[in-house]
Amino acid sequence: MWFYRIINSFLGIRKETELSKDLKNITFKKIVILFISINLIFVTIVLLITKIFINDL
C-alpha cells in the first residue's frame, strides 16, 4: 500500500531509496487522497482533544 509506505518513510522506518522510488510513482490522485486523509486525521484529533477538555470543565 503506497500510503503506508510513504508515511513509514517520513517516520524514518524505510530507506531513502525506497521513498524516492515511491515518490516517482505518485500521481495527482494519490497526492489528493494523501492530503485529504492527513487533514481528516488532524481535524479528528483536534475535535477529540477539544471535546475532552470541554467535557472536563
Side-chain angles (χ1 to χ4, degrees):
M1 175 181 220
W2 63 270
F3 179 75
Y4 182 71
R5 289 192 313 257
I6 291 175
I7 296 299
N8 283 341
S9 297
F10 287 133
L11 295 174
I13 298 172
R14 293 171 42 108
K15 297 178 184 176
E16 184 179 343
T17 56
E18 293 172 339
L19 174 62
S20 63
K21 182 180 176 183
D22 287 338
L23 290 177
K24 286 180 184 176
N25 295 328
I26 199 160
T27 62
F28 182 71
K29 181 181 176 183
K30 289 180 181 179
I31 292 172
V32 170
I33 291 170
L34 182 66
F35 178 76
I36 290 172
S37 60
I38 289 174
N39 280 320
L40 286 175
I41 292 169
F42 176 74
V43 168
T44 304
I45 291 171
V46 169
L47 289 175
L48 287 173
I49 292 172
T50 306
K51 190 173 185 178
I52 289 170
F53 284 122
I54 290 176
N55 286 338
D56 284 344
L57 297 177

